[in-house]
Amino acid sequence: MRLKWDQGVASRGKLTGRSLPMCDAPLVPKPSYEDRLTAPSYSLYLSGPRSPESLRLFAWFRENVAHRLAWINGPQNPWRQLILPLAESSETIFFSILALAAHDLASQYPVNDPWYERFRNISDTHLNNALALLAQELGNLSCLSSSQTGSTTTFSLTLGSVLILCNSDLLKAQTSEWRIHLLAAREIISAGANHSSLQHPLFRVQRFLLQEFYSTSVWTHLTTFSQVDDILVDAPTSNEDAVLADFVRIIHHITKIERVKSRSRASNLAPPAAFEVQTIYAQIESAKSHSLCVNQTIEYWSDSERGDFQLVVWMYYYATLIYGTQALSELSTTEKDKNDACGHILDYLQRLFQTPNGLRFTQDLIWPLFIAGTELRGDRAAQKIIENGFKTVIHISRTLDRSRVLSFLKSWWNLAGDDFVSWIDFARGRPSQCNFLIV
């Protein structure tokens, strides 16, 4: 590998925004995004000639976006390994990727910055192209019979495009435009149910896309407090593309039971069977064991990353235990048990942030940060750890809806008195303020 050292750019002082003079080199302006982005041979994914700008956006997605979309950014990152190659056969996928990449670039700048406006305009252009093609694909999909060949491929490409655009709109999650894409994904899945299952080599692509839809839907239901449905797809189990899927499935199950219990109380009906509730402890233990086993089979960039992600698994384990106790009174847990669980989460968080590669998993930490935070009323020192954790995640993995999640926690911490048993009751009484996404 041939390496070349370039001049650094000063971040402060009179040379701010200019390259530091090295070997009497002349001062030059801070490089534009064209200079900062590289365009290696990603054209192997593409079906035809592309503009340099498109290639650079494609490269930005591969190198700077894909790792924040996956649970684990290893050599087998599914957004790189499975989704990027689909751009070779789908213009809709390609334009969706460009729209997300440009939107991600825009999110690096303040909204009043000219570069923000430029990248948002670029993103909107590609978004409009993708939406126009999606409209055609949705029409074609609805006309296909279950026996027609090619229908399953169309299903995956269309679903993939919608989920990419959903992730793009999550960058401005407070506008809730991403929910429209999630509803569209639901309709696509419903239409695809009438067609035959995808066969190799697209089977893994289909499974991954359904897992993405399922996970996002579960996080959505956490703060909507409407009836929680079965989300149209079978609950996934942990695998190399979604190592924490077992916990997501249990979180969904707990949420459904909590909503049934709440409606039962409001209607003076009998609560759900206690036996079903008591099985959740065993399910959480099984999820922890399975996720730790899957973690041992995943390919990482380094061995130390495997140990770091093991800490994430344990954080999800304790967070899910706490959530089960909060949502279901039948899960009897002492205050000491909950305090111990919160203590473990805070300990693992600080250990993770102190490791060389621990910051690679910041995109996975909002759930345990939030749940631990809901148990820390009155503990200002621990609250500060949670707040700093949120700020670190936002700095590394973009804002999404995380500022609103933190704002809710602060409102919960500052609430006077003990009128609410848990954050769930507090949020349920404020639907317009608490419709945020904990992801």
Side-chain angles (χ1 to χ4, degrees):
M1 180 180 295
R2 298 170 63 184
L3 304 177
K4 177 183 177 181
W5 270 257
D6 202 353
Q7 296 191 133
V9 176
S11 60
R12 58 177 64 89
K14 64 181 181 180
L15 298 179
T16 299
R18 310 174 74 189
S19 295
L20 299 179
M22 296 168 58
C23 300
D24 298 322
L27 294 175
V28 296
K30 183 177 180 179
S32 66
Y33 87 100
E34 289 91 348
D35 298 321
R36 287 187 282 115
L37 295 180
T38 58
S41 300
Y42 297 131
S43 57
L44 62 94
Y45 291 122
L46 312 179
S47 56
R50 306 287 182 176
S51 69
E53 180 186 83
S54 296
L55 290 174
R56 292 185 179 108
L57 287 174
F58 200 77
W60 181 265
F61 180 93
R62 188 182 193 281
E63 300 300 329
N64 298 282
V65 179
H67 72 88
R68 286 186 269 107
L69 299 178
W71 292 106
I72 295 171
N73 179 37
Q76 301 302 315
N77 182 317
W79 287 96
R80 294 194 192 102
Q81 296 294 317
L82 303 180
I83 301 304
L84 282 181
L86 295 181
E88 182 177 358
S89 54
S90 171
E91 289 285 300
T92 317
I93 290 280
F94 184 72
F95 284 124
S96 299
I97 288 173
L98 298 187
L100 173 52
H103 196 168
D104 183 76
L105 276 162
S107 68
Q108 296 188 117
Y109 298 90
V111 293
N112 58 348
D113 191 291
W115 285 103
Y116 174 87
E117 187 67 24
R118 175 174 180 175
F119 284 125
R120 280 306 307 272
N121 289 337
I122 293 172
S123 178
D124 288 344
T125 297
H126 294 306
L127 172 63
N128 290 334
N129 290 334
L131 291 176
L133 292 170
L134 265 176
Q136 298 176 20
E137 292 181 7
L138 290 171
N140 294 336
L141 186 62
S142 63
C143 296
L144 287 172
S145 67
S146 59
S147 61
Q148 284 182 282
T149 59
S151 61
T152 54
T153 301
T154 302
F155 166 83
S156 279
L157 296 177
T158 305
L159 180 60
S161 299
V162 170
L163 291 178
I164 293 169
L165 295 179
C166 183
N167 277 285
S168 180
D169 277 334
L170 279 172
L171 290 169
K172 55 182 192 323
Q174 65 276 10
T175 65
S176 293
E177 292 177 13
W178 59 271
R179 295 180 185 274
I180 300 174
H181 297 301
L182 199 62
L183 288 173
R186 183 185 179 91
E187 294 302 316
I188 294 168
I189 292 171
S190 180
N194 298 321
H195 303 295
S196 57
S197 299
L198 293 182
Q199 302 299 317
H200 182 78
L202 289 180
F203 173 77
R204 186 182 168 199
V205 175
Q206 181 197 36
R207 183 185 67 177
F208 170 69
L209 293 173
L210 293 178
Q211 287 173 337
E212 289 295 298
F213 169 77
Y214 180 86
S215 296
T216 305
S217 298
V218 169
W219 302 127
T220 300
H221 286 311
L222 277 169
T223 55
T224 56
F225 302 103
S226 58
Q227 182 172 345
V228 180
D229 59 32
D230 291 326
I231 315 185
L232 292 176
V233 299
D234 293 334
T237 57
S238 296
N239 56 54
E240 72 276 13
D241 296 329
V243 66
L244 298 173
D246 285 352
F247 290 110
V248 177
R249 174 176 49 80
I250 295 169
I251 291 165
H252 179 218
H253 186 48
I254 292 172
T255 303
K256 288 198 296 182
I257 297 176
E258 195 282 333
R259 301 302 186 264
V260 172
K261 283 168 57 65
S262 177
R263 290 196 301 273
S264 298
R265 288 193 300 268
S267 305
N268 294 319
L269 299 176
F275 173 77
E276 180 186 23
V277 173
Q278 291 300 325
T279 63
I280 292 176
Y281 273 140
Q283 293 173 358
I284 296 174
E285 291 293 334
S286 177
K288 177 193 68 178
S289 299
H290 188 203
S291 297
L292 290 174
C293 287
V294 173
N295 186 46
Q296 296 301 313
T297 68
I298 294 175
E299 185 178 357
Y300 287 87
W301 295 115
S302 66
D303 290 338
S304 63
E305 288 185 77
R306 190 184 313 280
D308 292 339
F309 194 78
Q310 184 169 303
L311 298 179
V312 177
V313 173
W314 278 100
M315 292 171 74
Y316 266 68
Y317 166 74
Y318 285 113
T320 308
L321 278 175
I322 295 172
Y323 178 57
T325 301
Q326 294 171 335
L328 310 172
S329 57
E330 287 86 351
L331 290 183
S332 56
T333 301
T334 66
E335 285 301 313
K336 182 180 183 303
D337 291 333
K338 287 201 292 184
N339 290 339
D340 288 346
C342 286
H344 287 306
I345 292 174
L346 295 177
D347 177 54
Y348 294 147
L349 175 70
Q350 294 180 93
R351 286 170 57 184
L352 199 62
F353 284 175
Q354 291 169 0
T355 62
N357 298 311
L359 295 178
R360 291 176 179 266
F361 304 115
T362 54
Q363 71 274 11
D364 302 328
L365 300 181
I366 294 301
W367 169 248
L369 278 172
F370 173 78
I371 289 297
T374 62
E375 289 292 325
L376 295 174
R377 291 178 65 190
D379 189 339
R380 184 55 193 148
Q383 290 171 9
K384 194 64 178 178
I385 295 174
I386 295 294
E387 185 175 353
N388 289 337
F390 268 92
K391 291 178 179 178
T392 299
V393 172
I394 290 171
H395 175 70
I396 296 175
S397 297
R398 302 292 187 260
T399 302
L400 279 69
D401 226 6
R402 293 154 181 170
S403 293
R404 290 208 299 161
V405 177
L406 179 57
S407 178
F408 171 83
L409 278 179
K410 290 181 177 180
S411 297
W412 173 241
W413 292 338
N414 295 328
L415 184 67
D418 297 315
D419 295 337
F420 297 96
V421 175
S422 74
W423 70 269
I424 299 172
D425 296 322
F426 178 60
R428 181 180 275 114
R430 294 159 176 74
S432 61
Q433 303 172 29
C434 302
N435 193 14
F436 46 76
L437 189 65
I438 306 173
V439 66

